[in-house]
């Protein structure tokens, strides 16, 4: 009996005779091409075959254009011989014991983990109910329904209207600051931010280079005065980078630069149902994968000896050594979450 035959016979006997299965870290793998009985062989070799039924199926899985290459007997023979020769090479590799080669084992492990992920997550995709979709929409409604918003940076000089002397001093300084701002490149927001950090007297925004973040016009009017909201509205036609004049409010003077604009948004639940469902499904898949890993660790008695681990010295000064084998496997992440809606707001 050939080495390959002995290997396959032992594998089959192990499957039949060992009720408890292979020992931990060992597996019995059937590498035969045809593992089911039946069918009409179009090609055969020791302990294996390729059937007409499989060949027909493989050809039908090709595009019509590719099938044009296999119309004659010789063309079909070429395809069959290629398939058989591949399987003969597999048997030769097994005869040489290459199934235990570290590189083969590492590749097999990665393939097994990938297949496990598909079985655990893709083939058992968790359902998402209408109630879950509706609850997500309500809890994230600001991403789907919001008023028009603008983003400004400002330089503020405190000058209450009731203090005429202070107001006059502030107006002189504001005019100089505005002249400096106009001398900057229109979209050099960093340079305007430096001016704000140097000159602004607004304690909440001065450390942020004068950035007011995204706000609706109503919020601007409420927080900084209706004059600021009206000035912001006037900057929209010119686009980001546009500068206001000196804007006077009850509290003082502002020099404003428009840095962003978001139009109003009103997406209904019906508009977002499919996207939200996909997102929730992905979140469930991620949780399922995390729970599987935790369960495997728990059932296996996995533990880390922190004291021993701490004594493993990592010397960053030594040169890199040649690889002693394939790199260790890494845990794959579930497929990326669905991309966020183009409507959702990226909060800076």
């Amino acid at each position: 009996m050939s080495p390959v035959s002995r290997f396959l016979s032992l594998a089959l006997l192990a499957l039949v005779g060992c009720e408890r299965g292979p020992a931990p870290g060992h597996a019995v793998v059937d590498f035969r091409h045809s593992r089911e009985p039946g069918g009409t062989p179009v090609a055969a070799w020791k302990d294996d075959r390729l059937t007409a039924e499989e060949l027909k199926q493989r050809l039908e899985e090709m595009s019509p254009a590719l099938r044009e290459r296999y119309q004659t007997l010789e063309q079909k023979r070429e395809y069959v011989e290629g398939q058989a020769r591949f399987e003969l090479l597999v048997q030769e590799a097994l005869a040489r014991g290459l199934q235990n080669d570290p590189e083969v084992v590492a590749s097999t492990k990665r393939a097994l983990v990938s297949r496990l992920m598909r079985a655990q997550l893709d083939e058992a995709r968790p359902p998402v109910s209408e109630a879950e979709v509706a609850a997500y929409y309500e809890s994230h409604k600001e991403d789907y329904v919001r008023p028009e918003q603008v983003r400004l940076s400002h330089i503020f000089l405190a000058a209450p209207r009731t203090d005429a002397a202070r107001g006059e001093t502030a107006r002189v300084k504001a005019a100089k600051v505005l002249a400096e701002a106009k001398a900057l490149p229109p979209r050099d927001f960093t340079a305007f931010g430096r001016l704000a950090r140097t000159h602004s007297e607004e304690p909440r925004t001065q450390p942020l280079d004068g950035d007011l973040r995204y706000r609706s016009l109503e919020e601007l009017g409420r927080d900084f005065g209706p004059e600021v909201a009206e000035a912001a509205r006037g900057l929209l036609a010119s686009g980001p980078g546009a500068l206001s004049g000196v804007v006077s409010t009850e509290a003082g003077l502002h020099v404003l630069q428009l840095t962003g604009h978001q139009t109003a948004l009103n997406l209904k639940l019906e508009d977002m149902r499919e996207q939200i469902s996909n997102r929730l499904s992905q979140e469930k898949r991620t949780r399922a994968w995390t729970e599987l890993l935790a369960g495997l660790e728990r059932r296996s008695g996995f533990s880390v000896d922190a004291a021993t681990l701490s004594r493993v010295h990592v010397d960053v000064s030594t040169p890199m050594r040649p690889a002693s084998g394939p790199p260790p496997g890494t845990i794959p992440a579930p497929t990326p979450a669905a991309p966020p809606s183009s409507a959702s707001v990226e909060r800076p």
Side-chain angles (χ1 to χ4, degrees):
M1 182 180 289
S2 70
V4 174
S5 299
R6 284 197 299 271
F7 176 81
L8 293 174
S9 298
L10 289 172
L12 291 172
L13 286 172
L15 282 173
V16 173
C18 186
E19 294 182 0
R20 293 182 298 173
H26 297 262
V28 176
V29 183
D30 188 349
F31 284 100
R32 293 173 300 165
H33 179 74
S34 295
R35 290 175 288 179
E36 298 295 334
T40 307
V42 294
W45 53 96
K46 185 173 290 187
D47 302 317
D48 216 339
R49 68 199 190 284
L50 174 64
T51 66
E53 291 78 10
E54 182 193 350
L55 177 60
K56 185 174 185 298
Q57 178 180 336
R58 296 299 179 210
L59 291 171
E60 289 176 349
E61 290 170 356
M62 298 178 185
S63 67
L66 188 55
R67 268 178 255 154
E68 290 287 342
R69 297 174 52 182
Y70 303 108
Q71 295 301 303
T72 69
L73 174 60
E74 286 306 312
Q75 289 170 330
K76 286 182 282 190
R77 178 189 292 273
E78 180 184 358
Y79 178 81
V80 169
E81 288 177 348
Q83 295 295 303
R85 286 167 179 164
F86 176 83
E87 296 298 333
L88 291 173
L89 289 170
V90 171
Q91 288 196 357
E92 178 64 19
L94 292 173
R96 298 186 185 188
L98 296 181
Q99 67 274 15
N100 292 318
D101 179 86
E103 185 178 347
V104 174
V105 172
S107 297
T108 304
K109 286 180 177 180
R110 285 190 286 270
L112 283 170
V113 171
S114 177
R115 185 64 186 89
L116 174 63
M117 173 176 281
R118 294 204 310 274
Q120 182 74 17
L121 302 180
D122 294 345
E123 297 170 9
R125 187 176 293 274
V128 177
S129 69
E130 285 294 318
E132 289 174 310
V133 172
Y136 183 94
Y137 176 84
E138 287 300 322
S139 64
H140 295 78
K141 205 164 187 177
E142 68 277 6
D143 289 341
Y144 309 115
V145 179
R146 57 165 168 72
E148 179 182 36
Q149 293 185 321
V150 295
R151 187 173 184 177
L152 300 172
S153 288
H154 77 151
I155 300 168
F156 173 74
L157 302 176
R161 283 178 178 166
T162 56
D163 190 336
R166 189 174 181 182
E168 184 60 33
T169 301
R171 274 190 289 275
V172 173
K173 183 177 180 180
K176 291 180 180 179
V177 169
L178 178 59
E180 289 184 56
K182 287 181 175 179
L184 299 173
R187 286 178 174 266
D188 191 345
F189 303 132
T190 301
F192 186 90
R194 286 196 293 268
L195 281 180
R197 187 174 285 268
T198 300
H199 299 292
S200 185
E201 299 171 2
E202 214 294 325
R204 295 169 297 175
T205 61
Q206 185 268 346
L208 304 176
D209 292 347
D211 187 12
L212 299 183
R213 306 296 190 181
Y214 275 105
R215 298 171 187 261
S216 67
L217 294 175
E218 180 182 351
E219 289 172 325
L220 279 173
R222 183 186 65 235
D223 296 341
F224 297 98
E227 300 88 351
V228 170
E230 189 59 33
R233 192 190 307 276
L235 295 175
L236 293 177
S238 301
L243 288 170
S244 72
V246 176
V247 179
S248 176
T249 67
E250 287 290 337
L253 307 177
H254 299 258
V255 174
L256 307 171
Q257 183 181 55
L258 180 68
T259 59
H261 176 222
Q262 293 175 339
T263 57
L265 197 62
N266 187 23
L267 294 172
K268 307 295 185 185
L269 175 59
E270 293 72 21
D271 302 323
M272 304 308 301
R273 178 174 280 109
E274 182 178 358
Q275 180 182 303
I276 292 174
S277 180
N278 290 339
R279 181 184 293 274
L280 292 177
S281 177
Q282 173 61 30
E283 290 176 358
K284 287 189 174 187
R285 294 171 77 245
T286 301
R287 285 197 298 272
W289 187 240
T290 302
E291 290 166 3
L292 172 66
L293 294 173
L296 292 173
E297 291 180 3
R298 186 171 57 253
R299 292 192 297 274
S300 71
F302 171 76
S303 64
V304 174
D305 187 333
T308 300
L309 181 60
S310 67
R311 291 194 293 271
V312 177
H313 178 60
V314 181
D315 188 349
V316 297
S317 64
T318 58
M320 184 176 178
R321 293 182 178 180
S324 58
T330 55
I331 301 173
T335 53
S341 165
S342 59
S344 62
V345 177
E346 290 297 331
R347 302 292 179 185

